[in-house]
Amino acid sequence: MIRKDSEDLVRVGPGTAMGELMRQYWIPAAMSSELKADGAPMRLALLGEKLIAFRDSAGRVGVMDHRCPHRCASLFLGRNEQNGIRCIYHGWKFDTQGNCVDTPNLAGNPGFKNRIKAKGYRTAERNGLVWVYMGKRAEAPPLPQIEATLLPDSEVTINFVQRECNWLQALEGDIDTSHFGFLHAGGVDPDDVPEDSLFRFTVANRAPDYHVTDTDAGTMYAAYREAELGKTYWRFANFMLPFWTQTPQGKFTEHLHNRAWVPMDDHHTMFVSLMWRHHPPSIGPDKHGRAMPGFRRAFDYLPNTTDWNGRWRLAGRPENDWLIDREAQRSGGNYTGIEGIHAQDQAVTESMGPVTDHLFEHLAPSDRMIMATRRRLLKAARALAKDGTVPPGVDDPAVMYPVRSGDFITDARLGWREAYDREMRAAIRPLKLAAE
Ligand code: FES
Ligand SMILES: [Fe+2]
């Protein structure tokens, strides 16, 4: 990895390679429930920009630079009243589009407001998420057709969790399949896993083989292991541009989920998880009916604050060593001594530092998906910078729809593409797209 590639991958501010690539896409920025009509504005850090989000009296959402275009007082302090936000410094008022609608300190100059515009971004709301388009187009592109984002609120569980590190190392945890048998399941004895659970193959053989490929939407891998005689155990997972993933732990045909790693700035990332409610739990109790050690699924949140980085933080964090319990680690059951799958991922990726030093790494054959994904990102960002090539999924959002991940077993003679296609045909689709 050369320094230029590394810099281009991790920086997300305006004018950076990755920042410009991400600004081509609609970005899931907040939960609809975070914004109340005429409620307090919310500080929102997104792609290195300091924004505020608010919901006006009519329910519309505004997202704009937090600085008032008059003399830069923060609109976070503003009065959210009667369909607009009013700066508390000199009373200028802005609607959700950023139009200045009142300048009450300029008594004799009612037309002045028409020359002023706050730096606002296009927003949209769908199924419980607030989306922001930070690109330059006069007409925003269509909203994404990422499958779980199309499910109605009643069908999907949405979680936000902040991670205190660069977006790329956070995302790469999702496409790094061989860590599962160590970080999460290093203490699980294969003999304790029920016979009918596919999970036993992950812990019986902790060094899978891989296929990796580029796809229309991003990249995909298939990790595979021999299951019983004449059978192959497959784990498929995906990366979708610019920051979406699907992980392999779950029954493929019902594993309807999408995960976004949305950069707040270069050192903070908001994980946005969307999971179909009818998806069965991927790993149940062991043979003796006990929960697998360290597998707790809940998130332990700190209370949200109004700070730029105050939303959806976890209790386990760098300052408290992610609540690692050395006794639990020593006793063997919980390999890490950290409770909870997400908390374990959080600990290792945050422990790399605010931004992984790619020049210090030694990537191995088990990291081929990570290498392919970095190349795919750089290729898309550089094509955009060079001649304006629009990246996949912006004008053709349907390419993101037919993408699924998960695990299953097939006859060993079946090739990996055939295995994927066959499982896709069997996949449950709660929604049918008109295009299908
Ligand atoms: S700084 Fe906002 S109205 Fe003057
Ligand atoms: Fe993980």
Side-chain angles (χ1 to χ4, degrees), residues 94-153:
F94 304 91
D95 68 14
T96 51
Q97 322 262 304
N99 300 309
C100 183
V101 293
D102 195 17
T103 52
N105 68 331
L106 306 176
N109 201 344
F112 188 86
K113 64 174 183 288
N114 302 326
R115 298 176 13 209
I116 303 295
K117 189 130 171 122
K119 189 182 174 196
Y121 291 118
R122 244 71 53 84
T123 65
E125 260 185 302
R126 190 178 64 186
N127 303 334
L129 282 179
V130 174
W131 296 81
V132 181
Y133 173 68
M134 296 171 73
K136 296 193 177 85
R137 293 187 186 190
E139 197 69 43
L143 278 170
Q145 291 186 3
I146 288 165
E147 192 176 9
T149 72
L150 298 169
L151 297 173
D153 302 29

Side-chain angles (χ1 to χ4, degrees), residues 332-411:
N334 182 344
Y335 189 75
T336 57
I338 295 169
E339 187 55 44
I341 290 192
H342 191 92
Q344 292 155 5
D345 287 317
Q346 187 103 350
V348 291
T349 52
E350 289 183 348
S351 78
M352 296 166 183
V355 183
T356 299
D357 180 356
H358 291 134
L359 279 65
F360 196 81
E361 302 177 312
H362 295 82
L363 295 185
S366 58
D367 301 309
R368 283 171 49 216
M369 177 63 173
I370 287 173
M371 298 184 228
T373 300
R374 291 181 188 175
R375 277 196 299 271
R376 186 82 162 100
L377 278 161
L378 286 172
K379 196 170 131 198
R382 287 175 180 162
L384 172 70
K386 186 161 171 268
D387 49 25
T389 304
V390 179
V394 172
D395 289 324
D396 50 351
V399 301
M400 301 293 176
Y401 181 74
V403 180
R404 279 285 184 91
S405 72
D407 63 359
F408 57 93
I409 287 187
T410 65
D411 187 297

Side-chain angles (χ1 to χ4, degrees), residues 44-104:
L44 179 66
L46 217 48
L47 303 188
E49 297 187 35
K50 289 184 163 147
L51 311 173
I52 55 148
F54 67 100
R55 190 184 293 283
D56 75 3
S57 319
R60 294 168 294 214
V61 172
V63 169
M64 58 186 67
D65 194 298
H66 86 107
R67 294 164 300 176
C68 174
H70 177 212
R71 292 193 49 238
C72 302
S74 182
L75 291 168
F76 168 72
L77 301 170
R79 302 166 59 95
N80 184 11
E81 57 188 21
Q82 291 154 345
N83 283 326
I85 187 144
R86 193 182 287 283
C87 179
I88 59 168
Y89 206 179
H90 312 92
W92 292 14
K93 184 175 177 183
F94 304 91
D95 68 14
T96 51
Q97 322 262 304
N99 300 309
C100 183
V101 293
D102 195 17
T103 52

Side-chain angles (χ1 to χ4, degrees), residues 173 179 183-184 345:
H179 83 261
L183 180 74
H184 306 309
D345 287 317

Side-chain angles (χ1 to χ4, degrees), residues 116-345:
I116 303 295
K117 189 130 171 122
K119 189 182 174 196
Y121 291 118
R122 244 71 53 84
T123 65
E125 260 185 302
R126 190 178 64 186
N127 303 334
L129 282 179
V130 174
W131 296 81
V132 181
Y133 173 68
M134 296 171 73
K136 296 193 177 85
R137 293 187 186 190
E139 197 69 43
L143 278 170
Q145 291 186 3
I146 288 165
E147 192 176 9
T149 72
L150 298 169
L151 297 173
D153 302 29
S154 57
E155 288 288 301
V156 67
T157 303
I158 301 178
N159 285 298
F160 277 46
V161 186
Q162 192 186 141
R163 193 164 289 187
E164 270 187 54
C165 66
N166 184 258
W167 76 281
L168 186 69
Q169 70 209 55
L171 178 146
E172 286 175 348
D174 278 359
I175 54 171
D176 169 3
T177 209
S178 75
H179 83 261
F180 204 96
F182 298 89
L183 180 74
H184 306 309
V188 175
D189 182 339
D191 291 338
D192 285 339
V193 180
E195 295 295 317
D196 61 349
S197 168
L198 297 185
F199 175 54
R200 74 195 145 98
F201 301 118
T202 302
V203 284
N205 172 0
R206 292 184 156 95
D209 288 315
Y210 298 85
H211 299 292
V212 177
T213 187
D214 281 3
T215 63
D216 291 344
T219 52
M220 175 169 79
Y221 74 73
Y224 60 99
R225 299 161 163 93
E226 189 176 85
E228 57 262 28
L229 200 64
K231 303 269 186 200
T232 299
Y233 170 55
W234 298 100
R235 287 163 65 85
F236 279 85
N238 288 286
F239 159 75
M240 296 143 83
L241 286 156
F243 43 49
W244 293 88
T245 60
Q246 290 177 324
T247 53
Q249 193 59 54
K251 187 179 175 192
F252 188 100
T253 48
E254 294 161 45
H255 200 207
L256 201 180
H257 75 303
N258 294 101
R259 300 154 64 92
W261 297 93
V262 179
M264 301 166 72
D265 60 27
D266 290 349
H267 300 161
H268 298 84
T269 303
M270 191 62 80
F271 167 58
V272 177
S273 163
L274 298 113
M275 179 68 87
W276 185 39
R277 284 182 196 257
H278 308 288
H279 159 258
S282 64
I283 301 173
D286 71 10
K287 253 184 194 162
H288 319 287
R290 293 181 304 228
M292 302 272 188
F295 271 44
R296 211 163 56 82
R297 293 277 174 179
F299 301 115
D300 290 330
Y301 288 108
L302 295 175
N304 279 359
T305 73
T306 58
D307 188 62
W308 296 112
N309 303 317
R311 293 165 56 232
W312 311 116
R313 296 162 307 152
L314 294 186
R317 37 193 309 98
E319 299 83 45
N320 57 25
D321 295 331
W322 300 275
L323 303 172
I324 194 165
D325 176 343
R326 295 291 182 182
E327 192 42 51
Q329 189 184 55
R330 254 191 300 270
S331 67
N334 182 344
Y335 189 75
T336 57
I338 295 169
E339 187 55 44
I341 290 192
H342 191 92
Q344 292 155 5
D345 287 317

